[in-house]
C-alpha cells in the first residue's frame, strides 16, 4: 500500500512543496554542519521537528491519530524480529571491527546513564525523527516522487543528511541503511507505530553495542 500523497501535485503547489522540502531537508542539514559551533547539536533538529508538526497539521488528509494507530501491529512481529536480528548482527559486527575496545562499554561502565538513554531515546529523539523523516516526508512530499521506490531512497538520503553533523562516515552510512529499512517498512505498512518501534530498537541496540560513539559530534572523524 502506498503512503505517498495521493492527489496530483502540479503547478504552483508543486513548486511550494519542493521549496519546503529543500529548506527543511537540504538547507537545514547543511547549516547544521557549517554552523555547528553556534547552533549546537539540538537546535536545528528541534526546529525541524517543530516545523514538521506544523506542516503536518496543514497537510490534506492527515490525522494525528495515525501516530497512535496500532491496528495490525501484531502482524508485524516477524518483520520486527527479522530486521532486529539483522541490526544486532551488523551493529555488533561493526563494533568488533571498528572499536572493539568499546564493546558493551556504555552499559558496563555507566549503567545509570545508559538506562536513562535507553528509556528516553524513543520519546526525545525517535518520535520527532520519525514524524519528520517518515510521516511528514511521505504524507506531504511523497507525491513529488514518481514511485514508492524513489520516495524510499529519498527518505533515506535526507535522513542520512540529518546525521552529517556527527562528522563521520559511520553515522551517515548507518543512518542511510536504517532510513531505507524504516522508509520501506512505512511504505509497506502505513504504520507510524511500526517505524517508531523499529527505530527505537535499532538505536537502543546501537547504544548498547558500543557503536554509539559514532553518534557524538566529531567523536571519531573520517
Amino acid at each position: 500500500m502506498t503512503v505517498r500523497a495521493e492527489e496530483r501535485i502540479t503547478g504552483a503547489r508543486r513548486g511550494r512543496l519542493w521549496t519546503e522540502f529543500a529548506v527543511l531537508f537540504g538547507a537545514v542539514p547543511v547549516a547544521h554542519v557549517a554552523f555547528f559551533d553556534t547552533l549546537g547539536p539540538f537546535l536545528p533538529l528541534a526546529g525541524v521537528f517543530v516545523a514538521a508538526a506544523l506542516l503536518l497539521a496543514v497537510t490534506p488528509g492527515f490525522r494525528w491519530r495515525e501516530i497512535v494507530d496500532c491496528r495490525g501491529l501484531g502482524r508485524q512481529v516477524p518483520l520486527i524480529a527479522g530486521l532486529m536480528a539483522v541490526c544486532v548482527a551488523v551493529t555488533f559486527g561493526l563494533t568488533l571491527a571498528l572499536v572493539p575496545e568499546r564493546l558493551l562499554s556504555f552499559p558496563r561502565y555507566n549503567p545509570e546513564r545508559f538506562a536513562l538513554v535507553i528509556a528516553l531515546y524513543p520519546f526525545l529523539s525517535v518520535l520527532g525523527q520519525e514524524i519528520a523523516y517518515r510521516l511528514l516526508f511521505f504524507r506531504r512530499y511523497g507525491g513529488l516522487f514518481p514511485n514508492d521506490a524513489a520516495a524510499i531512497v529519498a527518505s533515506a538520503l535526507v535522513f542520512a543528511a540529518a546525521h552529517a553533523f556527527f562528522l563521520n562516515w559511520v553515522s551517515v552510512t548507518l543512518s542511510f541503511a536504517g532510513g531505507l529499512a524504516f522508509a520501506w517498512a512505512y511504505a509497506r505498512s502505513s504504520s507510524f507505530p511500526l517505524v517508531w518501534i523499529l527505530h527505537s530498537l535499532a538505536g537502543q541496540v546501537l547504544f548498547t553495542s558500543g557503536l554509539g560513539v559514532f553518534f557524538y559530534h566529531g567523536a571519531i572523524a573520517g
Side-chain angles (χ1 to χ4, degrees), residues 1-2 8 12 91 106 109 120-121 126 131 136 160-161 171 176 182:
M1 177 186 297
T2 183
R8 190 176 185 84
T91 301
F106 198 4
Y109 300 123
L120 296 181
Y121 175 70
V126 175
I131 286 174
L136 176 72
S171 63
F176 177 72
F182 307 148

Side-chain angles (χ1 to χ4, degrees), residues 49-204:
F49 301 161
V50 171
L54 294 174
L55 289 167
L56 270 174
V58 297
T59 297
F62 173 73
R63 298 293 182 270
W64 285 106
R65 62 176 175 267
E66 294 179 29
I67 290 180
V68 294
D69 185 357
C70 293
R71 289 176 296 178
L73 192 57
R75 296 193 299 271
Q76 304 296 340
V77 171
L79 172 65
I80 295 171
L83 287 178
M84 285 307 103
V86 173
C87 176
V88 169
V90 170
T91 301
F92 277 83
L94 282 174
T95 302
L96 290 171
L98 300 175
V99 282
E101 72 282 1
R102 293 185 179 272
L103 182 66
L104 299 176
S105 59
F106 198 4
R108 281 192 297 162
Y109 300 123
N110 200 340
E112 294 84 4
R113 187 175 182 183
F114 169 75
L116 190 63
V117 168
I118 293 300
L120 296 181
Y121 175 70
F123 303 98
L124 297 185
S125 182
V126 175
L127 185 62
Q129 291 184 57
E130 288 306 313
I131 286 174
Y133 297 102
R134 247 62 64 185
L135 200 53
L136 176 72
F137 181 96
F138 281 96
R139 293 305 304 272
R140 190 168 180 86
Y141 307 114
L144 296 173
F145 299 91
N147 51 54
D148 281 354
I152 288 168
V153 172
S155 174
L157 285 171
V158 299
F159 185 61
H163 292 78
F165 73 95
F166 289 120
L167 299 181
N168 64 79
W169 67 268
V170 177
S171 63
V172 175
T173 302
L174 287 180
S175 296
F176 177 72
L180 283 176
F182 307 148
W184 171 80
Y186 184 69
R188 177 180 181 271
S189 68
S190 305
S191 174
F192 180 84
L194 172 61
V195 292
W196 178 74
I197 289 170
L198 288 173
H199 190 166
S200 297
L201 291 174
Q204 289 166 338

